[in-house]
Amino acid sequence: MTISNPDTVLIVDFGSQVTQLIARRVREAGVYCEIAPFQSADEAFVRLAPKAVILSGSPASTVDIGSPRAPQAIFDSGLPVLGICYGEQTMCAQLGGKVEGSDHREFGRAFLEIEDDCPLFDDVWARGTRHQVWMSHGDRVTAIPSGFRVVGTSTGAPFAAIADDERKYYGVQFHPEVVHTPDGAKLLSNFVHKIAGLRGDWTMAAYREQAIEAIRKQVGDGKVICALSGGVDSSVAALLTHEAVGDQLTCILVDHGLMRKNEASKVVAMFREHYNLPLILVDASDRFVGALEGESDPEKKRKTIGRLFIEVFEEEAMKLGGADFLVQGTLYPDVIESVSFTGGPSVTIKSHHNVGGLPERMNMSLVEPLRELFKDEVRVLGKELGLPESFIGRHPFPGPGLAIRCPGGVTREKLEILRSADAIYLDEIRKAGLYDAIWQAFAVLLPVQTVGVMGDGRTYEFVCALRAVTSVDGMTADFYHYDMEFLGRAATRIINEVKGINRVVYDVTSKPPGTIEWE
């Protein structure tokens, strides 16, 4: 499913862990953008016909032979280009400047001296002022191409910000997309609006209309089934598709035995009673849990769950007389993280999504109406579609469900213990009025047992870990700072009410871009 966006920015990804944040800042400015790995940037440039290009950072070194480069077509196009960190360096290297390794590396907080006025800094930073920025580079530009001028310097980077106003080429050695560069988002807004001249009309209302038309065009008069999990993503995808094709859509909710407490019945009640969607509930819990029992490898869990989902939907489609399309709530981070930019582990991060397509034997095509959206954008779209705030604000729940919140071997007993502990934990969060302040919270049943004393008896039971994180879009996360009174109250309830747990701990790790879940 392709949605046309006349004012699009192409972000060429050279492998930076914060490239997605560039996209978020551009979309926050009301401009549509897409990320393409440098290996396929030529194709993306032709396909998207962007109005401007941003070159991302990278862990690579520009001075190494064979290091990534931007497509020459970008510089031949006459479009505005912004290079960030490595992006600035490769821009300089490709346009006749010089980049060298440096003994004065800059990682972390640095200070930018504004040497000259520049459209990038309009109404943000004035000439002669000094501002905090976030650096992450070892190499540095030592000579800029003809036509460029210096507009900012730092201790370790004499060309920390450069500009070629005639060609609308700009480069910054620092990272404006991260929160550690105050006002950095305003620089990106200046680039897309004042320099590239793009309209700020990327809204969910406009997306809704475009998506409905795109779904109708893709589906035609075909029969559609939707993989409804009850989460925000699949629910928004289902409502959007139903608005587009009406009764051509049948939703299927698979209770795989890995859902939260009473989840299936709540979802069925909401969609049948409030939205009048054709919905089939399939109780496949024995099938899934039986196949998972004793399995400890997290990737095998995901693969098993994914395979069984495909089998169940194939069977249900046959009962309906066949289906032509399968709707799935794939999000943009799923797509991005399922592409390996550097040959690393990102290729398996989202392996539980069918991002690459469905098995040929299913003879169905994927409809992914949210494929171009981030999580927070999906919530805004859900509000556009009339979903209640209480549902839109629900914490994300992974496709593999409790299977990946149960490290080690999966058993029915452990799943029931975890389900009960998780329900108590979320109940305490709601009672404390903290639910909306937390992006995601859940319990994890650790694969260890400890000796404890409860009353006059000794116990040998499981350890339960509690996790709560703050995030905007699920790409980066920091742990939520509970007070000890809350943690004590939640832990006491879990230990007292859940047989099988005698110890509770709180997880205080933070997460860089990537998965927020435990594995």
Side-chain angles (χ1 to χ4, degrees):
M1 195 185 85
T2 303
I3 295 177
S4 174
N5 295 281
D7 281 1
T8 295
V9 174
L10 170 64
I11 300 170
V12 179
D13 184 14
F14 294 110
S16 169
Q17 65 173 344
V18 292
T19 299
Q20 289 190 31
L21 295 181
I22 302 174
R24 288 302 306 119
R25 303 296 172 253
V26 172
R27 291 194 183 184
E28 286 166 3
V31 175
Y32 181 74
C33 62
E34 285 193 24
I35 297 170
F38 68 90
Q39 299 98 323
S40 60
D42 273 306
E43 178 277 329
F45 184 71
V46 173
R47 173 174 52 84
L48 294 172
K51 297 292 182 64
V53 178
I54 298 176
L55 309 177
S56 85
S58 176
S61 171
T62 320
V63 301
D64 289 345
I65 296 174
S67 57
R69 291 292 183 265
Q72 185 58 38
I74 289 174
F75 299 116
D76 294 339
S77 68
L79 295 176
V81 181
L82 171 63
I84 295 175
C85 194
Y86 182 94
E88 179 201 45
Q89 293 173 4
T90 194
M91 176 190 288
C92 287
Q94 291 181 244
L95 295 178
K98 191 173 183 179
V99 181
E100 298 178 348
S102 173
D103 293 331
H104 193 123
R105 301 181 301 170
E106 284 183 306
F107 290 93
R109 185 179 291 105
F111 290 91
L112 184 74
E113 304 285 347
I114 308 301
E115 304 291 344
D116 202 354
D117 293 328
C118 170
L120 207 59
F121 302 154
D122 277 358
D123 302 319
V124 184
W125 296 339
R127 179 169 48 182
T129 58
R130 185 171 183 260
H131 301 275
Q132 177 186 311
V133 295
W134 193 260
M135 294 281 194
S136 181
H137 67 98
D139 302 337
R140 67 176 180 176
V141 176
T142 55
I144 55 178
S146 176
F148 280 86
R149 62 190 176 93
V150 179
V151 294
T153 62
S154 72
T155 303
F159 303 103
I162 58 175
D164 181 335
D165 299 301
E166 184 175 343
R167 290 185 287 182
K168 296 185 178 180
Y169 289 169
Y170 299 87
V172 293
Q173 187 60 72
F174 57 92
H175 287 272
E177 68 272 29
V178 301
V179 295
H180 307 85
T181 299
D183 296 322
K186 294 179 181 178
L187 303 188
L188 290 168
S189 179
N190 277 345
F191 175 71
V192 297
H193 292 310
K194 295 188 176 182
I195 294 170
L198 304 184
R199 300 186 302 272
D201 56 1
W202 168 247
T203 66
M204 283 303 101
Y207 183 89
R208 174 185 181 180
E209 294 178 5
Q210 293 175 341
I212 288 171
E213 287 305 312
I215 293 169
R216 287 173 180 163
K217 183 176 180 180
Q218 180 185 2
V219 169
D221 58 0
K223 294 177 67 174
V224 188
I225 58 175
C226 176
L228 182 65
S229 69
V232 175
D233 305 335
S234 66
S235 299
V236 171
L239 288 178
L240 190 64
T241 304
H242 187 253
E243 190 167 314
V245 299
D247 289 343
Q248 290 172 244
L249 171 70
T250 300
C251 293
I252 299 173
L253 172 61
V254 178
D255 183 354
H256 48 27
L258 307 169
M259 302 178 81
R260 288 172 290 203
K261 195 168 186 177
N262 301 323
E263 184 81 2
S265 59
K266 291 177 182 177
V267 172
V268 170
M270 185 178 80
F271 279 91
R272 283 182 179 166
E273 295 172 12
H274 296 285
Y275 295 100
N276 199 29
L277 282 177
L279 175 60
I280 296 171
L281 174 63
V282 181
D283 184 355
S285 54
D286 287 342
R287 184 171 177 177
F288 277 80
V289 178
L292 289 168
E293 198 148 17
E295 181 57 68
S296 60
D297 184 282
E299 189 60 20
K300 288 181 179 178
K301 290 179 186 178
R302 289 181 180 274
K303 294 292 186 183
T304 297
I305 293 167
R307 173 179 57 80
L308 292 176
F309 260 119
I310 293 295
E311 291 178 5
V312 170
F313 280 104
E314 187 177 27
E315 293 165 6
E316 293 303 316
M318 291 176 65
K319 293 177 184 177
L320 292 169
D324 305 296
F325 298 93
L326 173 64
V327 179
Q328 188 170 262
T330 307
L331 302 190
Y332 197 40
D334 299 333
V335 178
I336 296 168
E337 293 169 4
S338 295
V339 178
S340 179
F341 297 107
T342 59
S346 62
V347 73
T348 61
I349 287 177
K350 295 294 181 181
S351 56
H352 60 288
H353 282 276
N354 303 305
V355 179
L358 294 169
E360 289 185 9
R361 73 171 194 274
M362 289 194 71
N363 198 28
M364 282 190 281
S365 299
L366 275 176
V367 177
E368 298 173 306
L370 312 181
R371 186 183 176 89
E372 297 170 341
L373 302 183
F374 288 94
K375 187 76 176 188
D376 52 321
E377 293 172 324
V378 172
R379 289 189 167 122
V380 176
L381 179 57
K383 188 175 181 179
E384 281 282 335
L385 292 166
L387 280 170
E389 290 284 353
S390 59
F391 186 85
I392 293 170
R394 293 180 75 201
H395 293 178
F397 190 66
L402 298 181
I404 59 168
R405 296 179 181 175
C406 191
V410 176
T411 68
R412 287 172 172 79
E413 178 191 14
K414 289 168 69 175
L415 288 171
E416 285 307 314
I417 292 172
L418 176 57
R419 210 181 323 268
S420 298
D422 188 69
I424 292 171
Y425 179 37
L426 293 178
D427 182 55
E428 285 297 321
I429 289 173
R430 289 189 175 93
K431 286 179 177 176
L434 300 175
Y435 191 84
D436 292 337
I438 296 170
W439 190 83
Q440 186 183 46
F442 54 88
V444 177
L445 195 67
L446 300 183
V448 293
Q449 290 176 281
T450 62
V451 174
V453 176
M454 299 179 70
D456 295 322
R458 288 163 60 88
T459 63
Y460 185 62
E461 295 177 329
F462 288 103
V463 178
C464 176
L466 304 181
R467 180 153 172 76
V469 297
T470 56
S471 181
V472 173
D473 42 35
M475 293 183 296
T476 58
D478 193 10
F479 68 92
Y480 186 79
H481 294 254
Y482 285 126
D483 61 56
M484 292 305 295
E485 183 179 351
F486 171 84
L487 287 174
R489 187 166 60 249
T492 298
R493 273 199 66 190
I494 290 171
I495 291 171
N496 286 342
E497 297 178 31
V498 182
K499 187 176 181 181
I501 293 175
N502 66 4
R503 196 176 303 274
V504 176
V505 297
Y506 183 55
D507 173 17
V508 294
T509 55
S510 299
K511 290 283 184 178
T515 181
I516 300 241
E517 290 287 348
W518 278 60
E519 292 287 354

